[in-house]
Amino acid sequence: MSTASGPYNYSYIFKYIIIGDMGVGKSCLLHQFTDKKFMADCPHTIGVEFGTRIIEVSGQKIKLQIWDTAGQERFRAVTRSYYRGAAGALMVYDITRRSTYNHLSSWLTDARNLTNPNTVIFLIGNKSDLDSQRDVTYDEAKQFADENGLMFIETSAKTGDGVEEAFLETARRIFSNIQDGSLDLNAAESGVQHKPSPVLSSTNANGRQDGSGNRSDCQC
Ligand SMILES: Nc1nc2c(ncn2[C@@H]2O[C@H](COP(=O)(O)OP(=O)(O)O)[C@@H](O)[C@H]2O)c(=O)[nH]1
Ligand SMILES: [Mg+2]
């Protein structure tokens, strides 16, 4: 017991990526989820950044490691390494800007081509607080999601509406894929790491992910 704040106080790590056009609110969604705050003057993301938060699904503690696209979306040059090993992909558009919705099929093509077949893709219509400026209806986006086998929700990174649900529901889906055997944890690039019970102490036996502590230095 008593490992409440220990670095290994979780059983799994799930890697997520957030994709979508610039300005749709990806960085703000990440901040709302990790810090429960809206960063109104979010500077443009520079360099690859990620945030983490530990959540619980079916009694298991899971560390979400969420990567933010880092401004490269402008050039559509988000690299393969960014997508690789993502267990979840949050694909975001802005409900007040139809162009961001129109680009979804090309984001989806990238996501499908560059992730593994089990990656859970969640469609997010962000800025639901700006309903008076709405340019894409809920029903239209829901239909697109259904046709493409995606989960869908509208969110507001500003008010927090729907944000928890989007991140948590993705984790629930990934976890159920692990449980029913459709996601093979041993496969390279599954996007999931399973950790042994947090009994052993500090030496960084598991290396890789934990050098940065709880959060990255996301500047946004
Ligand atoms: N009203 C409103 N503005 C938002 C919301 N999410 C983000 N924004 C604003 O949209 C702009 C772009 O957000 P940002 O997170 O930087 O987008 P990114 O380029 O996709 O990372 C910023 O000015 C944010 O303040 C939201 O849910 N509601
Ligand atoms: Mg950003």
Side-chain angles (χ1 to χ4, degrees):
M1 287 295 296
S2 84
T3 50
S5 59
Y8 298 122
N9 189 28
Y10 48 84
S11 309
Y12 295 89
I13 300 174
F14 291 176
K15 177 184 167 183
Y16 284 13
I17 55 172
I18 311 184
I19 57 176
D21 283 7
M22 274 193 95
V24 297
K26 299 181 298 297
S27 300
C28 290
L29 283 165
L30 173 60
H31 268 270
Q32 180 61 253
F33 181 67
T34 56
D35 297 350
K36 301 198 184 343
K37 278 189 212 132
F38 177 58
M39 308 293 283
D41 297 317
C42 207
H44 286 310
T45 314
I46 299 166
V48 175
E49 298 173 340
F50 67 90
T52 65
R53 191 175 131 189
I54 295 176
I55 58 160
E56 199 167 310
V57 172
S58 303
Q60 296 285 329
K61 288 220 165 40
I62 296 167
K63 180 172 176 172
L64 300 184
Q65 184 190 74
I66 308 148
W67 294 77
D68 186 11
T69 358
Q72 298 162 33
E73 67 270 43
R74 187 181 356 179
F75 311 108
R76 301 303 311 275
V78 180
T79 59
R80 178 176 266 275
S81 62
Y82 178 78
Y83 284 89
R84 182 180 296 141
L90 307 185
M91 187 170 74
V92 187
Y93 69 96
D94 174 347
I95 68 155
T96 72
R97 275 195 299 145
R98 175 159 284 275
S99 62
T100 68
Y101 177 80
N102 292 340
H103 294 155
L104 287 176
S105 51
S106 77
W107 285 110
L108 185 58
T109 302
D110 283 0
R112 288 254 156 85
N113 289 340
L114 300 173
T115 62
N116 70 66
N118 288 306
T119 300
V120 171
I121 304 176
F122 209 124
L123 178 63
I124 295 181
N126 189 42
K127 308 197 186 180
S128 62
D129 57 291
L130 299 177
D131 197 50
S132 60
Q133 298 167 44
R134 178 185 285 276
D135 205 14
V136 180
T137 65
Y138 179 94
D139 290 345
E140 180 180 1
K142 175 80 172 100
Q143 190 180 341
F144 175 84
D146 288 346
E147 284 167 6
N148 289 282
L150 311 173
M151 295 187 288
F152 171 59
I153 193 169
E154 287 191 347
T155 61
S156 168
K158 185 171 184 178
T159 66
D161 260 14
V163 176
E164 290 278 310
E165 288 93 315
F167 285 84
L168 298 185
E169 199 48 44
T170 303
R172 285 189 204 108
R173 182 66 67 94
I174 295 166
F175 192 70
S176 91
N177 286 345
I178 294 171
Q179 289 199 306
D180 71 18
S182 54
L183 182 64
D184 176 5
L185 293 186
N186 297 318
E189 309 189 358
S190 69
V192 173
Q193 283 181 47
H194 187 39
K195 298 235 156 207
S197 302
V199 181
L200 295 172
S201 69
S202 61
T203 24
N204 205 5
N206 289 304
R208 239 193 80 185
Q209 314 279 9
D210 291 306
S212 57
N214 270 343
R215 286 204 70 237
S216 72
D217 291 318
C218 180
Q219 302 160 13
C220 176

Coordinates of all heavy atoms in Angstrom, one line a residue, residues 20-29 38-45 68-69 71 73 92 94 97 126-130 155-160 220, ligand 1:
G20 N -6.2 17.2 -36.0 CA -7.2 18.1 -36.6 C -6.5 19.4 -37.0 O -5.4 19.7 -36.6
D21 N -7.3 20.2 -37.7 CA -6.7 21.5 -38.2 C -6.2 22.4 -37.1 O -6.7 22.3 -36.0 CB -7.8 22.2 -39.0 CG -8.0 21.7 -40.4 OD1 -7.4 20.6 -40.7 OD2 -8.8 22.3 -41.2
M22 N -5.4 23.3 -37.5 CA -5.0 24.3 -36.5 C -6.2 25.2 -36.0 O -7.1 25.5 -36.8 CB -4.0 25.3 -37.2 CG -2.6 24.8 -37.1 SD -1.5 26.2 -37.6 CE -1.1 26.8 -36.0
G23 N -6.2 25.5 -34.8 CA -7.2 26.4 -34.2 C -8.5 25.8 -33.8 O -9.4 26.4 -33.3
V24 N -8.6 24.4 -33.9 CA -9.8 23.8 -33.5 C -10.0 23.6 -32.0 O -11.0 23.4 -31.5 CB -10.0 22.4 -34.3 CG1 -10.1 22.6 -35.8 CG2 -8.9 21.4 -33.9
G25 N -8.8 23.8 -31.3 CA -8.9 23.7 -29.9 C -8.2 22.5 -29.3 O -8.4 22.1 -28.1
K26 N -7.3 21.9 -30.0 CA -6.6 20.6 -29.6 C -5.8 20.9 -28.3 O -6.0 20.1 -27.3 CB -5.7 20.1 -30.6 CG -6.4 19.7 -31.9 CD -5.4 19.2 -33.0 CE -4.3 20.1 -33.4 NZ -4.9 21.3 -34.1
S27 N -5.0 21.9 -28.3 CA -4.2 22.2 -27.1 C -5.1 22.6 -25.9 O -4.8 22.2 -24.8 CB -3.2 23.3 -27.4 OG -2.4 23.0 -28.4
C28 N -6.2 23.3 -26.2 CA -7.1 23.7 -25.1 C -7.8 22.5 -24.5 O -8.1 22.4 -23.3 CB -8.1 24.7 -25.6 SG -7.3 26.4 -25.9
L29 N -8.2 21.5 -25.4 CA -8.8 20.3 -24.9 C -7.9 19.6 -24.0 O -8.2 19.1 -22.9 CB -9.2 19.4 -26.0 CG -10.5 19.8 -26.8 CD1 -10.6 19.1 -28.1 CD2 -11.7 19.6 -26.0
F38 N -9.3 26.4 -18.7 CA -9.3 26.9 -20.1 C -8.2 27.9 -20.3 O -8.2 28.9 -19.6 CB -10.7 27.5 -20.5 CG -10.8 28.0 -21.9 CD1 -10.5 27.2 -23.0 CD2 -11.1 29.4 -22.1 CE1 -10.6 27.7 -24.3 CE2 -11.2 29.9 -23.4 CZ -10.9 29.0 -24.5
M39 N -7.4 27.7 -21.2 CA -6.3 28.6 -21.5 C -6.7 29.5 -22.7 O -6.5 29.1 -23.9 CB -5.0 27.9 -21.9 CG -4.6 26.8 -20.9 SD -4.1 27.5 -19.3 CE -2.5 28.1 -19.7
A40 N -7.3 30.6 -22.4 CA -7.9 31.4 -23.5 C -6.8 31.9 -24.5 O -7.1 32.0 -25.7 CB -8.6 32.6 -22.9
D41 N -5.7 32.2 -24.0 CA -4.6 32.7 -24.9 C -3.5 31.7 -25.1 O -2.4 31.9 -24.8 CB -4.0 34.0 -24.3 CG -5.0 35.1 -24.2 OD1 -5.8 35.2 -25.1 OD2 -5.0 35.8 -23.2
C42 N -4.0 30.6 -25.6 CA -3.1 29.5 -25.8 C -2.1 29.9 -26.8 O -2.4 30.1 -28.0 CB -4.0 28.4 -26.3 SG -3.3 26.8 -25.9
P43 N -0.8 29.9 -26.5 CA 0.2 30.2 -27.6 C 0.2 29.0 -28.5 O -0.2 27.9 -28.1 CB 1.5 30.3 -26.9 CG 1.3 29.7 -25.5 CD -0.1 29.7 -25.2
H44 N 0.6 29.2 -29.7 CA 0.7 28.0 -30.6 C 1.6 27.0 -30.1 O 2.7 27.3 -29.6 CB 1.1 28.5 -32.0 CG 0.1 29.2 -32.8 ND1 -1.2 28.7 -32.9 CD2 0.0 30.3 -33.4 CE1 -2.0 29.5 -33.5 NE2 -1.2 30.5 -33.9
T45 N 1.2 25.8 -30.2 CA 2.0 24.7 -29.7 C 3.4 24.7 -30.5 O 3.4 24.7 -31.7 CB 1.3 23.4 -30.0 OG1 -0.1 23.6 -29.6 CG2 1.9 22.2 -29.2
D68 N 0.1 16.2 -28.3 CA -0.5 17.3 -29.0 C 0.3 17.6 -30.2 O 1.6 17.6 -30.2 CB -0.5 18.5 -28.0 CG -1.3 19.6 -28.6 OD1 -2.0 19.5 -29.6 OD2 -1.2 20.7 -28.0
T69 N -0.4 17.8 -31.3 CA 0.3 17.9 -32.7 C 1.3 18.9 -32.9 O 2.0 18.9 -33.9 CB -0.7 18.0 -33.8 OG1 -2.0 18.1 -33.3 CG2 -0.6 17.0 -34.8
G71 N 1.6 22.1 -33.9 CA 1.6 23.1 -34.9 C 2.0 22.6 -36.3 O 1.8 23.3 -37.3
E73 N 0.4 20.6 -37.9 CA -0.8 20.3 -38.7 C -1.0 21.3 -39.8 O -1.6 21.0 -40.8 CB -2.0 20.3 -37.7 CG -2.4 21.6 -37.1 CD -1.8 21.9 -35.8 OE1 -0.5 21.6 -35.7 OE2 -2.4 22.4 -34.9
V92 N -10.3 16.2 -34.0 CA -11.1 17.3 -33.6 C -11.4 18.3 -34.8 O -10.5 18.5 -35.6 CB -10.3 18.1 -32.6 CG1 -11.1 19.2 -32.0 CG2 -9.8 17.2 -31.4
D94 N -13.9 22.1 -35.5 CA -14.5 23.2 -34.8 C -15.9 23.4 -35.4 O -16.0 23.6 -36.6 CB -13.6 24.5 -35.1 CG -14.1 25.8 -34.6 OD1 -15.3 25.8 -34.2 OD2 -13.4 26.7 -34.6
R97 N -16.5 26.3 -37.8 CA -15.7 26.5 -39.0 C -15.9 25.2 -39.9 O -15.2 24.2 -39.6 CB -14.3 26.7 -38.7 CG -14.0 28.2 -38.5 CD -12.5 28.5 -38.5 NE -11.8 27.7 -37.5 CZ -10.6 27.2 -37.7 NH1 -9.9 27.3 -38.9 NH2 -10.0 26.6 -36.7
N126 N -15.6 20.4 -31.4 CA -15.3 21.3 -30.3 C -15.9 22.7 -30.5 O -16.3 23.1 -31.6 CB -13.7 21.4 -30.1 CG -13.3 22.1 -28.9 OD1 -13.9 21.9 -27.8 ND2 -12.3 23.0 -28.9
K127 N -15.9 23.5 -29.4 CA -16.4 24.8 -29.3 C -18.0 24.8 -29.2 O -18.6 25.7 -29.8 CB -15.9 25.8 -30.4 CG -14.4 25.8 -30.5 CD -13.8 26.9 -31.3 CE -12.3 26.7 -31.4 NZ -11.6 27.8 -32.2
S128 N -18.5 23.8 -28.6 CA -20.0 23.7 -28.5 C -20.6 24.9 -27.7 O -21.8 25.2 -27.8 CB -20.4 22.4 -27.8 OG -19.9 22.4 -26.5
D129 N -19.8 25.6 -27.0 CA -20.3 26.8 -26.3 C -20.6 27.9 -27.3 O -21.4 28.9 -27.0 CB -19.2 27.4 -25.3 CG -17.9 27.7 -26.0 OD1 -17.2 26.7 -26.4 OD2 -17.5 28.9 -26.1
L130 N -20.1 27.9 -28.5 CA -20.4 28.9 -29.6 C -21.5 28.4 -30.5 O -21.5 28.5 -31.7 CB -19.1 29.2 -30.4 CG -17.9 29.7 -29.6 CD1 -16.7 29.8 -30.5 CD2 -18.3 31.0 -28.9
T155 N -17.9 18.9 -27.7 CA -17.2 19.4 -26.5 C -17.1 20.9 -26.5 O -17.1 21.5 -27.5 CB -15.8 18.8 -26.3 OG1 -15.0 19.3 -27.4 CG2 -15.8 17.3 -26.3
S156 N -16.8 21.4 -25.3 CA -16.3 22.8 -25.2 C -15.0 22.7 -24.3 O -15.2 22.4 -23.1 CB -17.3 23.7 -24.6 OG -16.7 24.9 -24.3
A157 N -13.9 23.1 -24.9 CA -12.7 23.2 -24.0 C -12.8 24.4 -23.1 O -12.1 24.5 -22.1 CB -11.5 23.3 -24.9
K158 N -13.7 25.3 -23.5 CA -13.9 26.5 -22.6 C -14.7 26.2 -21.4 O -14.3 26.5 -20.3 CB -14.6 27.5 -23.5 CG -14.8 28.9 -22.8 CD -15.3 29.9 -23.7 CE -15.3 31.3 -23.0 NZ -15.8 32.3 -23.9
T159 N -15.8 25.5 -21.5 CA -16.7 25.2 -20.3 C -16.3 23.9 -19.7 O -16.7 23.6 -18.6 CB -18.2 25.2 -20.7 OG1 -18.4 24.1 -21.6 CG2 -18.6 26.5 -21.4
G160 N -15.7 23.0 -20.5 CA -15.4 21.7 -20.0 C -16.4 20.7 -20.5 O -16.2 19.5 -20.3
C220 N 1.3 25.6 -23.5 CA 0.0 26.2 -23.8 C -0.8 26.5 -22.6 O -0.9 25.7 -21.8 CB -0.7 25.3 -24.8 SG -2.2 25.9 -25.2
Ligands
LIG1 N1 -15.1 29.5 -27.4 C1 -14.2 28.6 -27.4 N2 -13.0 28.8 -27.9 C2 -12.1 27.8 -27.9 C3 -12.4 26.5 -27.5 N3 -11.3 25.7 -27.6 C4 -10.4 26.5 -28.1 N4 -10.8 27.8 -28.2 C5 -10.0 28.9 -28.8 O1 -9.6 28.5 -30.1 C6 -8.3 29.0 -30.4 C7 -7.4 27.8 -30.8 O2 -7.3 26.9 -29.7 P1 -6.0 25.9 -29.6 O3 -6.2 25.0 -28.5 O4 -4.7 26.7 -29.7 O5 -6.2 25.2 -31.0 P2 -5.1 24.1 -31.7 O6 -4.4 24.9 -32.7 O7 -6.0 23.1 -32.3 O8 -4.3 23.6 -30.6 C8 -7.8 29.7 -29.1 O9 -8.0 31.1 -29.3 C9 -8.7 29.2 -28.0 O10 -8.9 30.1 -27.0 C10 -13.8 26.3 -27.0 O11 -14.2 25.1 -26.7 N5 -14.6 27.3 -27.0

